[in-house]
Amino acid sequence: MHLLRLSEQIESISRTYADRVGIERDDAWFLLKLQEEMGELTQAYLMRTGQARTRGLSREEIDRRFGEEVADVLCHVLLLARHHGVDLEGEVGAKWLAWPSRTDDAGRTKEEARTEVRASE
C-alpha cells in the first residue's frame, strides 16, 4: 500500500487550499468535512440509483459525480487519519488483511469454530 505517500500529497493540497481561502483545519473540521463529503456522496448515490432528482444531469455526469464523491470521501478519510496520527496501513493490515488467517472456510473465526466443536461434543 502507498497510503502514506498519497496522504502526504492530499495533505499538501488541502493545506494549500485552506490557507488560500482562510479555513482553519482544527480537529472538528477534519471530522465535519468528512461528514459533509459523505452527504454529497449520499446525494450522488441517490441520483445514480433513481432515488433523487437528477437536476438535468446525464447518466454519464451522474456516474462521474458519484466517482468524484467517492474520491472526496477517501481523501478526507486519509486527511482525518493523518491529522490524528492513525497509521492506516497498519490498521488495515491488522483489522482487514489479517482476517483470512483468523477465519475458516465458513467465515467463522477460529475461536468460534473451536467453540462450536466443543458445544457439539
Side-chain angles (χ1 to χ4, degrees):
M1 282 188 279
H2 301 288
L3 293 179
L4 181 58
R5 184 172 39 217
L6 180 60
S7 72
E8 289 169 354
Q9 293 172 309
I10 292 166
E11 167 60 24
S12 176
I13 293 164
S14 177
R15 186 179 347 96
T16 299
Y17 177 79
D19 289 346
R20 194 173 295 161
V21 297
I23 294 172
E24 179 185 346
R25 299 180 319 145
D26 59 9
D27 287 350
W29 181 86
F30 285 94
L31 183 62
L32 294 173
K33 188 64 179 172
L34 175 58
Q35 182 64 41
E36 176 189 11
E37 295 301 339
M38 281 298 303
E40 292 174 9
L41 175 58
T42 301
Q43 179 63 37
Y45 172 80
L46 291 172
M47 290 171 68
R48 191 171 196 240
T49 59
Q51 299 176 62
R53 293 180 297 124
T54 62
R55 299 180 179 172
L57 298 175
S58 69
R59 186 70 182 153
E60 293 77 26
E61 290 169 320
I62 291 170
D63 288 345
R64 186 176 68 247
R65 181 175 286 185
F66 179 75
E68 290 170 350
E69 297 306 336
V70 169
D72 283 349
V73 168
L74 173 63
C75 289
H76 281 282
V77 165
L78 292 172
L79 288 168
L80 178 71
R82 180 183 177 82
H83 179 74
H84 289 285
V86 174
D87 172 12
L88 273 180
E89 290 186 10
E91 295 297 338
V92 168
K95 181 151 185 159
W96 286 85
L97 302 182
W99 185 253
S101 66
R102 295 190 315 239
T103 60
D104 65 10
D105 292 337
R108 300 171 299 188
T109 66
K110 293 183 178 173
E111 182 57 36
E112 289 170 334
R114 282 191 293 272
T115 301
E116 286 180 22
V117 167
R118 284 192 299 264
S120 67
E121 292 177 342

